[in-house]
Amino acid sequence: MREFYVPAVPLLTPVESAERLLADAFSQTSPDQGTLITFRGMPGAGVDRVLQTALEYAREHEWLDFFVTLVPWEHDVPYSALERVCLKMVGLRHLLPDLVPDRDPIELGRRVLQALDAHFDVDDRTMLMVFDHLECCDPMSSVVFRYIVMRATARGANFVLGDSLAYPIDLGDELRQMVYTEPNAHLVILPEWSAEDIVTYVGHQVGSGVAVGEGERIRQLTGGRYEAVRLYLNNVSEDHLEDLGRIRTLPTVTSARMPPAPWPTDGELSEITRLAAEVCALQPDGVSVQKLKLVSNRVGVTFTSESVADGGVVIMNSLTGMLHLYDPLSAPDILERADPERVRIIHSGLADLTFGNESRIHELLSWPEIDAVAVAKTLETAADLEDGGYGQETLDLLDVAIERAQESGFGNGEYRALLRKFGHVFLRQSSPLQYQGRISDFAKFTDDAEFMFIYLWLRTVKAHGRLDARDARLAYLEGPPENIDHEFMQAEVSRMELLSALQTGPEATIAAVQDTVPRYAALVGKTPDNPELRWIDPGARLLFIEALVFVFGVSAGNVAGSSDEARQLAQQARALPDDSTEAVDVLTLAALVLGGRGDRFVDEASEIILEAKRRLKKVSRTMFVRGQLDVVDLDLTIRRGDWQEARANIDEAFVRAFDGLDMPTRIAIPALKAWLLAAEGHLDEAERYLTVAKEADQYRYPGYGIEMLPVTESQLAMARKGPQAALELLEAATPEPRYLGSLRIRGARIEILAAMGRFDEALPIWQEIEQIEAALAFEGPSEYSWLGAVEPASRGDIHGTVAIFERGAREARSSFTAAKCHLALANLYARVRGQRDLAREEFAAAREGFHEVGATAYIADAEAQVKRFSSENQRRMAELTRREIQVARLAARGWRNKEIARELNIGVATVAFHMSNALEKLGVSKRSELPSDLE
C-alpha cells in the first residue's frame, strides 16, 4: 500500500500524519524486505522534522542508522550524491581512497553493492539510511543510486529521502519512479498548512484552541509553513501582545516558497498592489506603507491604502504594519514579469529612501546600463568603502555591478574590470563563502596571469579545494616570473601549496617549504607595480612560514628549546602592525606550542591568545589559522577551569568554524561543544554536535584539538553503553596517525581502565604518556600527572596511590581536574577498610568541584557512587544483630570491653564475641576503624 500524499486525519497536523505513516511503514519491514520513503515538501514544510523522527525511531529500536546530508560549505564541492554517501558512511569510505570526483558511477555502484552485501552477511541489525540535501547528482549516478536502493531494500535495508520541491533534483525524480514499480516504496508530500491545521497545532501546543479566523491570520503571516508556524507561535505570548515594540522584532514571514499559483490578471490585481508586490520583491525584509507611498509618487501610480494588501499576493502584518509578499520566494517571478524601465525607476526611488550601501546598490541598479563611466564610479566607490573598513559592503556592491555588466556580455572590458576588483577585494577580506560561486567567472580568463592567480586562491580556500587545485598551482609555479607582479603572485601561490601540503604529510611539506621560503626572501624590500598587490608583506609572510615550520617540527618531536623559540616568535609578531593578519596567525601558533607544553605554560599561552584577540579586532584580511585561534583559546579556557567563559564563546566559534578556511576547526569545535554538553548531562544535544564533527571529518585532517572527536564519542558511549564500549572506541582511535601523540586519548583510556579496576592494563598507557611528555620536554606537572597513580595502584601500594591523587588535587589548575582526583580518592577509600568517613569527605569535595564548573553529569555520577556506598553500608548494618550494634556503637565512642560489659550487664567474653562479629560484618580490622555514625 503506497501513500502519495498526507491524508486528512482528524486532530493531526500534516507533519504528525507523516510521522504516523513513517512508523506504520517501518513496523511492516522485515529482514528480507525494507522500504523506501521519500518525503517531499517546500523548505520549512516539516521534512527535516520527519527525517529526525525516522532517526529517533531507529535508535529507539536499536537499528543501525546513517544520516547523510550537506552542511552549507559543501554545496559547491563537485561530488555526486553517491560519492557523498561513500564519504560519509564509515563502512563505505574506503571505496574512495583518492577522493577524486567524477569517477565512473557504474564502477562505484558495483563496489558499493559488494560492500553492502558483505555487511549484510555479517551484521543482522536492521539498517536505516536517511539522505537529505543531495542536490548534486548527475542522471547516470541517479540511475545507479536507484538500483542500489532497490537491491539494498531487498536485503532488508530502509531508506528515507528528503526531497525539496523548491530544488528538484535528478535523484529525487529517479527515486520517485520506484513508487510506481515497487510495492514497498512510498511518496509522502507535506503540503502547506491550512487554517484548520494551525488551529490543531495550537491546541496541541497550549492545550486550548483558537478561532479558525485567527488560524487564517497566522497562516498568512507564516506562509503556512510548519517551521514558520512553530517559530512564530513559540515567540508570541500574552506579554508580547501587550508590547508592540517587542512584537516588531519577531520573525513574521517564512522563507518557504508556496506552490506556484497563476499570476492575477490586470482586472484581478489593482495597480497599487502590483507596485507593492514589485517593491516587496526588492525589499525582502518588508516595506512600510509610507515608503510605498513615496515610491508610488516616483513611478506615477495613484496611492490608495485600502487596496494595497490583497491577501493573495501582498499581505500586511497586522502586528508590525509592514507589507510582505505572501510567497517570499516568488520575488524573482514578480520582477521577471515587471517592466524593466519601471523596475529601474523603483530602484531610483529606493536609492533616495534607503541609506549606506543599500542606497548605493539601488542607485547602481537604477542605471540604464553599465558603461565605462558607471564602472569607473563603481570602482571608485568600492575603493572608498574598502579603505573605510567596509569589506563586506564592497563585495556586495561589486557583486551586483558584475551581474549588471554580464547583461552586456562576458567579454566586455567593464565586466573584466569589475571582476578583477572583486577578486582582489575578496582576497584581502575574510573570504565570505557565499561569494565563492564566482570561481566560474574567473575560470573564463585563466590565460591572464592575474585572473589565474585569483582563480587559484579561490580554488585553494574553497571547502575541500586545497587538494583539488594542486596540479593547477604547480603549473602556475613553473617557469620564471614575467614581471615583479607575477613574482609576488607566484610567491602567494607557493604559500597556498605549502598550506595544502601541511594537510598531506611531511614529505610534501618539506618540498613546499623549500620552494616558498626563497620566493619570499627574494621579495623582501620590493614593491609590486600593481596597487592591488601592495598589501602583501613578504617579511611578515616569511615569519608566518617560519612559525608554521616550527609548529610542524614540534609536532614531529623536535622540542628542544621550543618554549624559548615560541616566545621569540610571539615577540616578533608583536613588532608587526596591529592590523597584520600574520601577527595574529603567528601569535596563535606560538600559543599553540606553549599550551601543549603542560599546565605551567597555560597562563603564558593565555596571555598570547589575549594579545592575538586584541589585534584580531583590527584585522580585515584573510587569516589562515583563525579557527585554530578559537580552538586554542577554548582549550586553554577549559584547562584554566573557566567553563562559563568557554560556554559563552563556543557558539560564536562554531559559526566561525564553518565560515573560515581552517578545515580541522570544523571537527574540533563541534566535538568540543559536544564534550561540554555531555559533561553537563545533555546527551541528545551532544550527540547532534558530535554528528556535525564526524561529518566534517571525512578527510581525516590533523590539527590541534582533533582528538576531542574520539574522546567525546567515548564519553557518550560511556553514558549510553557503559565503560567497555567507551574503551573500545578509544582503543580503535589510538593507532590512527594523527592521534599517535595524543595525551587526551591515552588519559581517557586510563580513567576508564582505572574505574574498572584494571590497573595492570592502564600502566603501559601511563608509561606511554610519560614518554610523550618527556619527548615534548614537559616542565612541571601536567593535567595528566594524577593518572600516574595507576603505577602504585598496580602494585597494591595504597599509600603511594593516595599520595599521587592528593598531590593531583592540590596542584590541579582546574577545579574539574581536582574534582576527578577527589572522586578517585573517594572510590579508593570506599574500598579500604575503615576509611568510610574519608570516602564521604572526598565524595563531597568531588561534588563541589564538579558543581563549580557545571559538570552535571559528573555530579550525578559522584552522587550515584555515594548512594552505592551508602547502600553497601546499610547492607552491612542490616547484618548486625541488636546486641552487636550496641557493642559496636559504644566501642566506636572509645569504651573498653569492661565498661561495655557493665553498661549492658553482660560478660566481658560476650562483649569480645559480639565485637569480633561486628568488625567482620562491617569490613574493618580494628575498633578504631568503626564508623562514628552507627545506628
Side-chain angles (χ1 to χ4, degrees):
M1 180 66 182
R2 302 192 298 273
E3 300 290 347
F4 296 90
Y5 61 96
V6 177
V9 179
L11 303 180
L12 289 180
T13 66
V15 172
E16 291 168 327
S17 298
E19 290 175 325
R20 176 175 291 186
L21 286 171
L22 178 79
D24 290 344
F26 280 171
S27 66
Q28 297 173 23
T29 61
S30 68
D32 298 325
Q33 182 59 61
T35 187
L36 163 69
I37 311 177
T38 300
F39 291 97
R40 300 188 70 198
M42 290 296 175
V47 173
D48 290 345
R49 170 60 206 159
V50 180
L51 299 188
Q52 183 61 37
T53 300
L55 291 170
E56 292 170 359
Y57 182 99
R59 289 162 189 170
E60 180 182 348
H61 291 78
E62 298 183 349
W63 289 6
L64 179 64
D65 64 273
F66 298 96
F67 180 46
V68 177
T69 186
L70 293 184
V71 290
W73 47 268
E74 291 183 307
H75 282 275
D76 293 331
V77 185
Y79 291 106
S80 73
L82 184 56
E83 290 168 331
R84 291 187 191 283
V85 171
C86 294
L87 288 170
K88 296 198 173 193
M89 289 179 59
V90 176
L92 301 177
R93 191 174 294 152
H94 67 283
L95 300 179
L96 290 176
D98 48 357
L99 305 176
V100 177
D102 301 327
R103 64 173 61 250
D104 179 10
I106 296 177
E107 174 59 25
L108 179 58
R110 185 180 296 113
R111 294 167 65 184
V112 169
L113 284 173
Q114 292 173 350
L116 288 175
D117 287 340
H119 165 80
F120 289 127
D121 290 339
V122 299
D123 194 334
D124 59 358
R125 288 178 294 174
T126 303
M127 177 187 289
L128 171 67
M129 286 177 267
V130 178
F131 304 133
D132 195 19
H133 295 298
L134 297 182
E135 287 89 354
C136 181
C137 194
D138 60 272
M140 178 58 72
S141 294
S142 299
V143 173
V144 174
F145 199 100
R146 173 187 173 189
Y147 182 71
I148 291 172
V149 171
M150 292 174 60
R151 281 279 303 272
T153 53
R155 292 293 302 267
N158 299 284
F159 294 83
V160 174
L161 176 72
D163 186 13
S164 172
L165 286 169
Y167 307 103
I169 55 175
D170 290 329
L171 178 60
D173 293 337
E174 194 67 38
L175 292 182
R176 279 194 296 277
Q177 296 301 316
M178 290 184 61
V179 175
Y180 303 101
T181 58
E182 300 296 320
N184 294 288
H186 306 262
L187 174 63
V188 180
I189 299 177
L190 293 174
E192 66 177 84
W193 283 20
S194 65
E196 290 77 9
D197 293 327
I198 294 173
V199 169
T200 299
Y201 180 78
V202 173
H204 291 176
Q205 295 299 304
V206 302
S208 61
V210 297
V212 174
E214 180 67 11
E216 177 62 25
R217 187 182 70 81
I218 295 174
R219 186 186 70 81
Q220 289 192 0
L221 290 173
T222 60
R225 284 292 165 272
Y226 162 74
E227 291 292 347
V229 171
R230 182 182 61 81
L231 180 64
Y232 177 80
L233 293 176
N234 288 349
N235 279 285
V236 176
S237 68
E238 292 299 326
D239 293 334
H240 286 165
L241 292 175
E242 297 173 1
D243 185 356
L244 290 181
R246 295 172 68 186
I247 280 288
R248 293 177 191 276
T249 67
L250 296 177
T252 55
V253 296
T254 175
S255 62
R257 182 179 176 83
M258 314 302 286
W263 181 254
T265 62
D266 291 339
E268 296 174 335
L269 197 65
S270 69
E271 189 64 23
I272 189 62
T273 301
R274 186 178 296 275
L275 176 63
E278 292 164 349
V279 177
C280 288
L282 298 173
Q283 297 268 277
D285 293 334
V287 177
S288 68
V289 174
Q290 183 64 24
K291 183 182 289 187
L292 178 63
K293 183 177 181 179
L294 294 172
V295 172
S296 68
N297 292 335
R298 181 72 63 90
V299 177
V301 173
T302 302
F303 180 82
T304 54
S305 59
E306 294 79 9
S307 60
V308 170
D310 69 324
V313 177
V314 177
I315 60 173
M316 177 178 286
N317 187 328
S318 59
L319 298 176
T320 65
M322 299 289 283
L323 297 168
H324 298 276
L325 289 176
Y326 176 70
D327 173 7
L329 291 189
S330 66
D333 299 332
I334 292 173
L335 295 175
E336 186 177 352
R337 295 186 182 99
D339 176 60
E341 181 61 29
R342 173 163 152 146
V343 172
R344 281 196 287 273
I345 295 174
I346 294 173
H347 277 300
S348 176
L350 291 175
D352 295 337
L353 297 172
T354 53
F355 304 94
N357 209 48
E358 184 180 2
S359 175
R360 297 186 192 95
I361 290 175
H362 281 302
E363 181 186 5
L364 191 154
L365 292 169
S366 70
W367 295 339
E369 63 179 4
I370 297 291
D371 55 15
V373 175
V375 168
K377 182 176 180 180
T378 301
L379 293 177
E380 181 181 354
T381 303
D384 292 341
L385 279 172
E386 188 183 15
D387 290 343
Y390 301 102
Q392 181 69 52
E393 289 79 1
T394 308
L395 290 172
D396 290 340
L397 179 67
L398 290 169
D399 188 55
V400 173
I402 291 169
E403 289 294 329
R404 289 296 315 277
Q406 285 178 342
E407 298 170 5
S408 303
F410 293 111
N412 67 79
E414 289 79 12
Y415 171 70
R416 289 174 66 110
L418 290 167
L419 190 63
R420 178 182 285 107
K421 182 65 176 179
F422 177 92
H424 283 293
V425 175
F426 187 97
L427 266 57
R428 289 191 288 267
Q429 302 307 313
S430 297
S431 300
L433 296 177
Q434 69 266 31
Y435 289 122
Q436 290 190 351
R438 287 286 173 205
I439 291 178
S440 59
D441 292 272
F442 289 95
K444 301 183 184 80
F445 307 112
T446 51
D447 55 334
D448 182 299
E450 188 175 0
F451 274 92
M452 184 61 176
F453 164 62
I454 298 171
Y455 170 75
L456 288 174
W457 184 296
L458 297 180
R459 280 287 305 275
T460 301
V461 303
K462 187 175 179 178
H464 300 319
R466 295 179 179 174
L467 298 178
D468 294 342
R470 186 164 192 265
D471 291 342
R473 287 194 300 267
L474 294 178
Y476 191 84
L477 295 173
E478 291 179 356
E482 299 172 1
N483 49 46
I484 186 65
D485 293 340
H486 192 199
E487 191 174 356
F488 267 84
M489 292 187 291
Q490 280 187 324
E492 287 292 287
V493 172
S494 181
R495 186 177 72 121
M496 297 176 206
E497 180 60 25
L498 170 59
L499 294 169
S500 175
L502 288 169
Q503 314 285 349
T504 57
E507 293 183 3
T509 301
I510 293 171
V513 169
Q514 292 173 344
D515 180 73
T516 306
V517 171
R519 291 181 185 273
Y520 279 115
L523 292 172
V524 173
K526 296 181 180 179
T527 303
D529 294 333
N530 188 344
E532 299 285 6
L533 299 174
R534 289 176 186 168
W535 61 279
I536 301 171
D537 182 346
R541 292 294 207 226
L542 278 174
L543 180 63
F544 171 65
I545 294 169
E546 180 185 347
L548 272 179
V549 174
F550 166 62
V551 171
F552 188 79
V554 170
S555 64
N558 302 323
V559 296
S562 57
S563 302
D564 292 337
E565 189 169 350
R567 294 189 187 101
Q568 184 178 355
L569 283 171
Q571 191 61 35
Q572 290 176 273
R574 290 187 179 101
L576 294 175
D578 272 1
D579 62 349
S580 167
T581 58
E582 290 86 359
V584 181
D585 282 337
V586 172
L587 287 168
T588 300
L589 295 173
L592 184 152
V593 171
L594 287 173
R597 292 289 304 277
D599 284 358
R600 175 181 172 185
F601 294 94
V602 165
D603 290 337
E604 188 175 356
S606 298
E607 290 177 5
I608 294 176
I609 288 293
L610 191 63
E611 170 69 9
K613 291 168 71 175
R614 182 190 70 78
R615 289 169 169 262
L616 187 62
K617 299 174 183 177
K618 302 179 181 180
V619 168
S620 62
R621 298 190 180 100
T622 303
M623 283 183 57
F624 280 88
V625 293
R626 174 66 180 91
Q628 292 293 287
L629 172 58
D630 281 328
V631 177
V632 176
D633 184 29
L634 289 167
D635 179 57
L636 294 173
T637 302
I638 291 173
R639 286 166 62 184
R640 292 195 308 268
D642 194 349
W643 284 31
Q644 191 61 34
E645 182 182 346
R647 293 187 187 97
N649 295 334
I650 197 166
D651 287 335
E652 291 184 5
F654 180 83
V655 173
R656 284 193 295 269
F658 289 91
D659 282 341
L661 315 177
D662 190 350
M663 297 303 297
T665 307
R666 301 178 181 183
I667 307 166
I669 295 291
L672 193 54
K673 172 76 171 179
W675 183 84
L676 284 171
L677 288 168
E680 296 166 5
H682 305 306
L683 300 185
D684 290 338
E685 192 175 357
E687 192 81 54
R688 288 195 290 272
Y689 278 95
L690 181 64
T691 299
V692 173
K694 292 168 74 173
E695 288 179 354
D697 192 37
Q698 302 170 29
Y699 301 99
R700 295 293 194 268
Y701 283 113
Y704 190 92
I706 293 295
E707 68 272 12
M708 288 305 301
L709 179 58
V711 168
T712 304
E713 190 172 8
S714 72
Q715 187 182 21
L716 288 169
M718 170 78 82
R720 298 189 186 279
K721 301 178 182 179
Q724 186 58 43
L727 186 62
E728 290 172 359
L729 280 171
L730 292 170
E731 289 174 345
T734 302
E736 197 169 330
R738 57 181 175 165
Y739 298 141
L740 288 178
S742 172
L743 297 175
R744 268 199 183 98
I745 292 178
R746 288 171 172 81
R749 289 173 64 193
I750 291 176
E751 288 187 51
I752 295 173
L753 288 169
M756 298 169 71
R758 293 156 60 176
F759 299 110
D760 290 341
E761 296 177 51
L763 181 57
I765 304 174
W766 167 248
Q767 291 169 346
E768 290 177 12
I769 289 181
E770 287 186 307
Q771 292 170 1
I772 294 172
E773 290 187 340
L776 294 175
F778 264 46
E779 301 179 27
S782 74
E783 59 184 301
Y784 307 103
S785 298
W786 67 282
L787 296 176
V790 298
E791 188 170 357
S794 65
R795 302 193 306 266
D797 180 0
I798 301 299
H799 295 294
T801 306
V802 168
I804 292 177
F805 283 149
E806 288 179 340
R807 185 171 66 248
R810 287 194 309 270
E811 296 177 347
R813 290 296 308 265
S814 163
S815 56
F816 177 67
T817 303
K820 290 200 289 186
C821 293
H822 287 301
L823 185 59
L825 277 170
N827 282 316
L828 181 63
Y829 284 137
R831 296 188 181 99
V832 178
R833 298 171 69 179
Q835 303 297 329
R836 310 295 184 188
D837 292 336
L838 286 175
R840 289 190 185 88
E841 292 175 8
E842 295 298 336
F843 275 127
R847 278 197 303 267
E848 182 179 351
F850 291 136
H851 178 75
E852 184 176 332
V853 297
T856 310
Y858 289 85
I859 295 173
D861 183 51
E863 290 175 345
Q865 294 187 51
V866 169
K867 289 179 181 178
R868 288 196 297 271
F869 172 65
S870 300
S871 299
E872 176 67 13
N873 281 350
Q874 292 173 3
R875 184 189 65 78
R876 291 177 181 271
M877 288 295 299
E879 295 178 357
L880 298 179
T881 65
R882 182 178 62 83
R883 183 65 80 185
E884 288 168 352
I885 291 174
Q886 292 174 333
V887 170
R889 184 187 299 123
L890 295 173
R893 297 175 184 173
W895 290 31
R896 298 176 181 276
N897 283 2
K898 288 183 180 181
E899 295 170 328
I900 296 173
R902 283 197 300 271
E903 175 69 18
L904 300 179
N905 197 25
I906 58 177
V908 174
T910 304
V911 171
F913 173 76
H914 289 311
M915 179 62 67
S916 175
N917 288 340
L919 292 175
E920 181 178 355
K921 291 178 181 180
L922 291 173
V924 296
S925 59
K926 49 189 176 181
R927 59 202 299 151
S928 62
E929 296 176 354
L930 285 168
S932 59
D933 57 351
L934 284 168
E935 297 294 339

